[in-house]
């Protein structure tokens, strides 16, 4: 009697006919698991599940999971891998044949949509858009990849045949587009272990450059090349991207050459661009020719600088009726003079020559021959400009409608035409400058003429792409030529001007 009881519990050694194979077997994938279900089989006392990651699983080739009941949850699996299953029934007459095979692929739950998506014109280049974003707020916690979808029409349809899909990209992503002067619309999705989440909010940008690949007159669309060395004080480029390289190949600097420029060889000096001036061949700015002065990531040490205010604020006659008053500031370091630039540290620059024109039509160029530089400029995302009206006693009028304040970090993502944008640029001389187009003429206040205070300061910290960057720049002094400017402390300088 004892032997008979043991045979019944073992499910296969008591003689007779094995039960029928299970039918109606189904599977449902989940996150790192698969749920297998099947219908009951007459005469079955237990069930075995066999699985494999190879198609054609059998009792011989599969891994056995004995004594299961329906539904059975098979856990601890790898998302994105296909698992194959058969089920057998066990009764007093032995084990049945295999059920029909079923298969399932466990998948991670869909991540949320990327956040804080921005589309900006890539600085100093044409036909190029720089996209940045933050991770979704919900995901499995595993590594994410991203897909960018680009369309020529708003309300991007990611399934449309005309939508361009750019797979497995990372932020920041520089998209080289087919043509300039065309608006491109973007959405971005996150992918978690093969599962794609919903699309982000839509963004758009209209890059510079020609509408076709051909050349022609007018605006060439090319930006200016860096001719005077630069220190990136926070380890961030001109658009707030993190610098990881050390030379012209790192596009995160925001400098030329860009993804659309020719760089073989580099510097690329195109003979077709040559302008002869006083019997010397020059390669002008804003042409296909591209070069780059030295630059360094200066985030590892405090950067001591001299503040230099734009000449027009010191010497030009300014009118409240002007459509634009240009406000420029520079942060300078002289080799062997600045405590941040020892005389033993060599950096290369490209001497520039004025070839003609003035203002927007000004043209400068280089012979293409570099030389050891003695001055460099400093870029920081913590730079802030504040413009305030003064009363008759020289006190700031708080809340005056024409006042302005804005920082470099706050300007990221804003169009150049946005009156709230304070930015930086590489000018036609190839030098980094902080600039603001002050549109005082557009301010309707009748008493806007008079005394104004323009203040350059350094914020204690700035947040860029969800990362906080503490100030790393020290204002040591003002340029001796700026006799009307004042250094308040190591983070603040101002100049008082009169607007007629």
């Amino acid at each position: 009697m004892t032997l008979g009881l043991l045979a019944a519990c073992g499910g296969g050694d008591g003689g007779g006919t094995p039960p029928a194979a299970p039918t109606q077997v189904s599977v449902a994938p989940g996150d790192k698991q698969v749920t297998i279900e099947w219908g009951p089989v007459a005469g079955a006392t237990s069930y075995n599940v066999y699985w494999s990651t190879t198609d054609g699983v059998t009792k011989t080739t599969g891994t056995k999971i004995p004594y299961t009941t329906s539904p059975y949850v098979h856990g601890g699996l790898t998302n994105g891998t296909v698992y194959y299953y058969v089920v057998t029934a066990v009764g007093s007459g032995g084990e049945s044949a295999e059920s029909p095979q079923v298969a399932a692929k466990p998948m991670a739950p869909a991540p949320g949509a990327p956040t804080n998506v921005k589309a900006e014109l890539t600085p100093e280049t044409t036909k190029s858009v720089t996209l940045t974003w933050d991770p979704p707020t919900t995901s499995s916690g595993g590594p994410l990849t991203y897909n960018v979808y680009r369309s020529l029409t708003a309300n991007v349809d990611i399934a449309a045949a005309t939508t361009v899909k750019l797979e497995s990209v990372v932020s920041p992503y520089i998209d080289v587009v087919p043509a300039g002067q065309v608006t491109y619309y973007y959405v971005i999705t996150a992918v978690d272990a093969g599962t794609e989440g919903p699309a982000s909010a839509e963004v758009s940008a209209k890059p510079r450059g020609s509408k076709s690949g051909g050349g022609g007159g007018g605006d060439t669309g090319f930006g200016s090349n860096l001719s005077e060395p630069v220190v990136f004080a926070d380890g961030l480029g001109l658009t707030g991207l993190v610098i990881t390289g050390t030379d012209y190949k790192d596009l995160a600097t925001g400098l030329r050459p860009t993804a659309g420029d020719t760089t073989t060889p580099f510097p690329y000096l195109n003979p077709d661009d040559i302008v002869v001036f006083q019997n010397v061949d020059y390669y002008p700015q804003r042409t296909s020719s591209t070069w780059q002065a030295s630059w360094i990531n200066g985030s590892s040490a405090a950067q001591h600088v001299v503040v230099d205010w734009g000449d027009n604020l010191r010497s030009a006659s300014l009118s409240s009726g002007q459509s634009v008053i240009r406000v420029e500031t520079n942060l300078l370091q002289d080799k062997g003079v600045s405590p941040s630039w020892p005389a033993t540290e060599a950096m290369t620059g490209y001497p520039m020559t004025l070839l003609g024109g003035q203002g927007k039509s000004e043209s400068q160029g280089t012979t293409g021959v570099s030389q050891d530089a003695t001055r460099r400029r400093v870029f920081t995302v913590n730079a802030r400009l504040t413009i305030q009206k003064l009363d008759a006693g020289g006190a700031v009028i708080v809340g005056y409608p024409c006042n302005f304040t804005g920082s470099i970090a706050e300007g990221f993502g804003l169009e150049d035409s946005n009156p709230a944008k304070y930015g930086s640029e590489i000018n036609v001389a190839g030098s980094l400058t902080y600039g603001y187009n002050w549109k005082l003429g557009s301010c309707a206040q009748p008493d806007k003429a008079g005394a104004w205070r323009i203040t350059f300061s350094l914020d204690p910290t700035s947040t860029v792409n969800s990362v906080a960057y503490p100030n790393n720049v020290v204002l040591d002094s003002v340029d001796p030529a700026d006799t009307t400017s004042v250094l308040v402390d190591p983070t603040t300088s101002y100049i008082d001007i009169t607007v007629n």
Side-chain angles (χ1 to χ4, degrees):
M1 184 171 178
T2 303
L3 291 174
L5 178 61
L6 289 173
C9 291
D13 297 324
T17 303
T23 59
Q24 301 176 343
V25 181
S26 63
V27 285
D31 182 16
K32 299 181 181 178
Q33 67 181 34
V34 172
T35 301
I36 308 103
E37 293 189 69
W38 58 89
V41 176
T45 57
S46 68
Y47 299 89
N48 297 328
V49 171
Y50 295 86
W51 68 271
S52 175
T53 55
T54 302
D55 193 5
V57 61
T58 67
K59 290 188 287 185
T60 303
T61 62
T63 300
K64 181 181 178 180
I65 307 174
Y67 303 109
T68 59
T69 58
S70 177
Y72 174 74
V73 178
H74 187 200
L77 307 182
T78 301
N79 286 336
T81 298
V82 178
Y83 291 82
Y84 300 90
Y85 298 91
V86 292
V87 182
T88 64
V90 180
S92 60
E95 184 177 18
S96 73
E98 298 94 335
S99 70
Q101 177 182 277
V102 291
K105 180 192 292 185
M107 301 292 287
T115 59
N116 196 29
V117 180
K118 298 178 182 178
E120 300 176 326
L121 305 189
T122 306
E124 309 303 331
T125 190
T126 62
K127 303 178 183 179
S128 179
V129 176
T130 297
L131 298 163
T132 59
W133 60 89
D134 291 335
T137 56
T138 57
S139 69
S140 69
L144 299 175
T145 60
Y146 297 89
N147 296 332
V148 170
Y149 294 88
R150 182 183 73 211
S151 175
L152 291 172
T153 56
N155 302 316
V156 178
D157 179 1
I158 64 176
T162 55
T163 299
V164 177
K165 180 180 181 181
L166 307 163
E167 298 185 83
S168 299
V169 302
V170 296
S171 176
Y173 177 72
I174 297 176
D175 183 28
V176 180
V177 297
Q181 304 178 51
V182 175
T183 300
Y184 294 91
Y185 300 88
Y186 296 89
V187 295
I188 300 170
T189 61
V191 181
D192 188 346
T195 303
E196 186 173 27
S200 69
E202 184 174 283
V203 293
S204 63
K206 188 176 184 180
R208 296 175 289 263
S210 64
K211 294 183 178 180
S212 65
D219 184 4
T220 65
F222 291 104
S224 293
N225 296 286
L226 180 69
S227 300
E228 188 174 41
V230 163
V231 178
F232 293 102
D234 314 299
L236 300 179
L238 300 184
T239 60
L241 305 184
V242 176
I243 294 172
T244 57
T246 57
D247 61 17
Y248 72 91
K249 297 176 184 177
D250 190 344
L251 301 182
T253 61
L255 304 171
R256 290 189 69 188
T258 66
D261 283 326
T262 300
T263 56
T264 305
F266 188 80
Y268 176 70
L269 303 173
N270 188 350
D272 293 338
D273 295 333
I274 288 176
V275 170
V276 179
F277 179 69
Q278 297 182 348
N279 297 319
V280 178
D281 290 346
Y282 290 93
Y283 300 91
Q285 292 276 34
R286 300 169 184 170
T287 62
S288 65
S289 294
T290 182
W291 58 89
Q292 190 181 95
S294 300
W295 57 266
I296 61 170
N297 181 337
S299 59
S300 61
Q303 298 299 321
H304 292 258
V305 300
V306 174
V307 183
D308 172 48
W309 289 91
D311 293 342
N312 67 311
L313 296 178
R314 291 184 276 128
S315 58
S317 176
L318 305 175
S319 169
S320 61
Q322 286 179 244
S323 58
V324 174
I325 296 175
R326 181 67 174 171
V327 179
E328 292 187 348
T329 316
N330 307 303
L331 300 182
L332 309 178
Q333 292 179 343
D334 287 332
K335 183 176 181 179
V337 177
S338 169
S340 299
W341 192 8
T344 55
E345 181 184 348
M347 298 190 78
T348 298
Y350 288 84
M352 301 297 293
T353 297
L354 177 64
L355 304 179
Q358 59 181 355
K360 291 183 178 180
S361 65
E362 181 179 328
S363 175
Q364 294 203 32
T366 178
T367 61
V369 178
S370 63
Q371 67 178 34
D372 188 45
T374 57
R375 170 165 287 185
R376 66 188 186 188
R377 304 194 180 203
V378 175
F379 173 76
T380 174
V381 299
N382 290 295
R384 177 175 292 276
L385 182 72
T386 304
I387 303 176
Q388 298 167 302
K389 185 75 165 61
L390 303 180
D391 62 19
V396 169
I397 303 176
V398 178
Y400 187 76
C402 304
N403 288 355
F404 166 82
T405 186
S407 74
I408 294 296
E410 293 167 354
F412 293 147
L414 300 180
E415 295 285 345
D416 290 344
S417 58
N418 192 315
K421 182 179 178 69
Y422 180 48
S424 62
E425 66 174 8
I426 305 302
N427 61 26
V428 71
S431 300
L432 168 73
T433 188
Y434 299 92
Y436 178 68
N437 291 327
W438 182 23
K439 298 180 180 180
L440 184 59
S442 301
C443 179
Q445 292 297 113
D447 60 343
K448 60 189 176 184
W452 287 82
R453 175 161 295 170
I454 302 179
T455 302
F456 179 90
S457 60
L458 300 166
D459 288 347
T461 187
S462 295
T463 300
V464 181
N465 294 326
S466 302
V467 178
Y469 292 89
N471 176 46
N472 193 39
V473 174
V474 180
L475 309 183
D476 283 345
S477 63
V478 295
D479 190 306
D482 298 342
T483 56
T484 58
S485 63
V486 176
L487 181 67
V488 179
D489 56 41
T491 65
T492 308
S493 173
Y494 72 81
I495 184 171
D496 289 344
I497 63 171
T498 299
V499 177
N500 299 315

